[in-house]
Amino acid sequence: MKEITATMAGTVLNIFVVAGNTVNPGQEVLMLESMKMEIPIESTTEGVVLEVKVNIGDFVNEGDILIVIE
């Protein structure tokens, strides 16, 4: 299993995938908001989303697991 983690602390603004979706490297999977800036989070690998571990509005810290990919 592979994990997509937060690159910085922020609030989850939008989620673009759900469990079962196929993702490719470089595909935007989630949008964070930090310091009034939108920070796109991209998949670093190809695979199928097993679990989205956050919800819109959640606050995450740098390094927190956001999405698990098979």
Side-chain angles (χ1 to χ4, degrees):
M1 290 192 301
K2 302 160 199 124
E3 299 168 341
I4 298 174
T5 58
T7 54
M8 64 186 327
T11 303
V12 178
L13 189 61
N14 208 339
I15 301 169
F16 305 122
V17 295
V18 295
N21 285 158
T22 300
V23 295
N24 296 303
Q27 178 180 340
E28 285 187 10
V29 294
L30 194 139
M31 186 70 68
L32 289 180
E33 180 181 26
S34 181
M35 298 181 289
K36 300 193 185 213
M37 293 179 6
E38 293 183 2
I39 294 89
I41 303 298
E42 298 178 347
S43 176
T44 55
T45 186
E46 181 178 352
V48 176
V49 175
L50 282 181
E51 181 181 6
V52 178
K53 299 183 82 62
V54 294
N55 296 301
I56 292 173
D58 288 354
F59 181 83
V60 297
N61 289 302
E62 182 177 353
D64 285 355
I65 298 169
L66 306 172
I67 297 173
V68 179
I69 297 178
E70 179 176 48

